[in-house]
Amino acid sequence: MTAPDQPLRADARRNREAVLDAASALFAQHGGDVQMNDIAERAGVGVGTLYRHFSDKQSLQAAIIGRRFAAVAGLAERAEKIDDPWAALEAVLRGYLEAADADAGFRFSILSPIEPAWDDIVREKAGFAASVARITQRAADAGLVRSDFTADDFILLTRGAMANMGGEHEGWRRFLALALEGVRVT
Amino acid sequence: MTAPDQPLRADARRNREAVLDAASALFAQHGGDVQMNDIAERAGVGVGTLYRHFSDKQSLQAAIIGRRFAAVAGLAERAEKIDDPWAALEAVLRGYLEAADADAGFRFSILSPIEPAWDDIVREKAGFAASVARITQRAADAGLVRSDFTADDFILLTRGAMANMGGEHEGWRRFLALALEGVRVT
DNA sequence: ACCTGAACACCGTTCAAGT
DNA sequence: ACCTGAACACCGTTCAAGT
C-alpha cells in the first residue's frame, strides 16, 4: 500500500498528474459531485487509465490529499525556521488553510463522508504532520498557547475552518480569528 | 415552496415520517452514502412514495434538517429563559451540538457538498435562528462574549464542531472548549 | 508496461397502473 | 389523494483488445 516507488514510465507519470489536475479543476468548478468519466475525459485519458492509477474514488481522493500534503510540507518547514514560536504556528495554520481554500478537491476529499484511503499516503502525511507537531509543541512550551495545545488540536481547528470554506461560506477567516483567540495566551 | 400546509391524509403523514426515520437510521449506520431505494424499503413504502414526499435527495436532506431545527427550537426557547446570558448561550450551543452528534443524517445534510434545499424549510429555520440571534445578542450586550459576536459566528462554530463529529473524529467537545475560550470574555 | 473504451452493475428518478 | 414497483438513465468500475 505504501507506494511501490519504482519510477513510472514517462507517459504514465504524465497521465497520473493529468488526472490529478483534471480532478482538482473539476472539483473547483462543480462542488463535490464530480464524475470519474468526466475526470478521465478532461485529463485526456481513457477511464481505464484513471483506474489503473487510482483503484477507486477514495484512492483518488487520497492522492489529491497526498499531493497537497507534499506541497504544504515545504511551507511547514519554512515556518519551523521562524524564530517566534507563535508566529511560526500562525504561519503554518494560515498557509495550510489558504492552500485548502484554493483547493476545493482537497477540502471535499478531507471532509468527505467517504473516508479517503489514508493508507495510500502515509508518507506524504507523515512529513507535514511531523513539522506541525514540532511547531505546536514549541508554541506550547514557550507558553504562547494553552499548555495543553497539541497537533490534534491543530487538526480540529483546521477541519473546523474547512467546514466554513467554499460556496456560500467564506467565513473561515473570521472563524480562524475566533479560534486563535481561544488558543493563544497573552 | 414554503409548505402547502394542507394537512396530509393520515397514511401520507405516517409515510412521510417513516421515510424520515428510515433515512436517519440509515445515515447513522452507514456514513453518508445511503440509497433512496434502501430508505424506501426500510420505511416500508415504495420508492414512488418517497419521491412523492421529497422531490429529490436534496429535498430529503432539507426535510431532515427542518425536522431537527423544529426540535431544537424548543431547546432554544428554554435557553432564552435562563437568566445568565452566558449560560443561556452555552446551553443552546451545547444542546444543539449534542443533538447534531446524535443525528448523523442531520450532520451529513448540513455539511453536504450538495447544498440542501433551504427554500423548503424557511419556516423551521426561522424560529431557531431567531432564538439564537436573541441569545447571542444578549450575551454580547452583557459583555460576556466579544462585543462583535453574532448569530453568524454561532453558525461558524457550529459547522466547525460538526466537521469534527462522527466516525473517527470525536474531538468536537475539545473543539468546542477551545472555541468558547476564544469567544468568552472573562 | 501501459492505454483504450465498450460493456456491466448499480443507484437516482420516473411513470403507468393500481387503491 | 395517495401508493406501488418495474423500467429508464446515468455513473462507477471492469476487462478484452490494443500499442
Side-chain angles (χ1 to χ4, degrees), chain B residues 40-41 44-51:
Chain B
E41 190 183 9
V45 302
V47 233
T49 302
L50 196 167
Y51 278 91

Side-chain angles (χ1 to χ4, degrees), chain B residues 9 15 46 48-49 52:
Chain B
R9 217 170 68 182
N15 283 337
T49 302
R52 161 165 264 269

Side-chain angles (χ1 to χ4, degrees), chain A residues 33-108:
Chain A
D33 57 336
V34 169
Q35 291 91 314
M36 297 300 256
N37 286 294
D38 291 348
I39 295 173
E41 190 183 11
R42 170 135 188 170
V45 302
V47 234
T49 303
L50 196 167
Y51 278 92
R52 160 165 265 269
H53 287 288
F54 309 102
S55 56
D56 55 14
K57 221 175 181 186
Q58 299 178 48
S59 172
L60 175 59
Q61 287 182 350
I64 291 174
I65 294 173
R67 202 206 213 181
R68 176 56 55 194
F69 277 166
V72 289
L75 176 123
E77 277 167 35
R78 284 196 299 282
E80 283 199 76
K81 291 185 188 123
I82 298 176
D83 279 343
D84 177 24
W86 167 260
L89 175 59
E90 214 189 346
V92 234
L93 238 188
R94 280 228 137 75
Y96 176 60
L97 290 177
E98 214 71 65
D101 188 34
D103 186 348
F106 176 70
R107 274 185 282 122
F108 285 122

Side-chain angles (χ1 to χ4, degrees), chain B residues 70-95:
Chain B
V72 288
L75 176 123
E77 277 166 35
R78 284 195 300 283
E80 284 199 75
K81 291 186 188 123
I82 298 176
D83 280 342
D84 176 24
W86 166 259
L89 175 58
E90 214 189 346
V92 234
L93 239 188
R94 280 229 138 74

Side-chain angles (χ1 to χ4, degrees), chain B residues 124-139:
Chain B
E124 289 86 339
K125 188 183 174 179
F128 180 60
S131 279
V132 168
R134 282 189 295 267
I135 292 174
T136 54
Q137 183 69 51
R138 184 155 68 102

Side-chain angles (χ1 to χ4, degrees), chain A residues 16 39 56 81 104 111 118 186:
Chain A
R16 208 192 120 92
I39 295 173
D56 55 14
K81 291 185 188 123
L111 296 181
W118 293 107
T186 41

